[in-house]
Amino acid sequence: MSHNLTVEVLDEDGKPMEGVKVQIIIDGILTGGSLEEFTDESGHAEFETGGDYESSRDLKIYVRGQSFGPYEIGGGSYTVQLE
C-alpha cells in the first residue's frame, strides 16, 4: 500500500511559501526512495509513494538546503518552517 504525504512549507514568519521544491528521502539502502514536488499557493506539496513502506520507516524532508526529520512515514502530514 502506498502512503499519501503532505508537506506544508512556511517561511521564517510562518507564512505559506508557493513554488518551493520539496524533496523527501525515504530511508532504506535497497528499498528507499526519493520524491520531489513543488508547493502550491497554500504552501503544500503532495506526494504518493510508489512503494509498500512500513509505517515506521523514516523519511527526511529537504527544502532550500535545510533538512528536517527524521519523521515516520506513517505520519502523513508534516509542517516545516524555514529559518
Side-chain angles (χ1 to χ4, degrees):
M1 180 175 126
S2 63
H3 292 271
N4 292 313
L5 310 172
T6 302
V7 177
E8 179 182 29
V9 179
L10 306 175
D11 67 13
E12 58 276 349
D13 296 322
K15 297 180 182 172
M17 297 181 69
E18 180 179 3
V20 176
K21 183 168 83 171
V22 178
Q23 181 181 34
I24 291 179
I25 304 289
I26 301 167
D27 191 31
I29 295 172
L30 297 176
T31 60
S34 174
L35 302 167
E36 290 183 359
E37 291 292 340
F38 287 87
T39 56
D40 62 15
E41 63 279 346
S42 67
H44 292 88
E46 296 186 12
F47 303 85
E48 182 176 353
T49 66
D52 186 14
Y53 298 112
E54 304 86 4
S55 292
S56 61
R57 178 88 53 116
D58 284 341
L59 64 84
K60 286 191 178 181
I61 300 169
Y62 296 90
V63 181
R64 292 193 172 171
Q66 296 182 46
S67 66
F68 303 90
Y71 303 104
E72 287 190 357
I73 198 169
S77 182
Y78 314 92
T79 300
V80 298
Q81 186 165 355
L82 302 182
E83 296 180 353

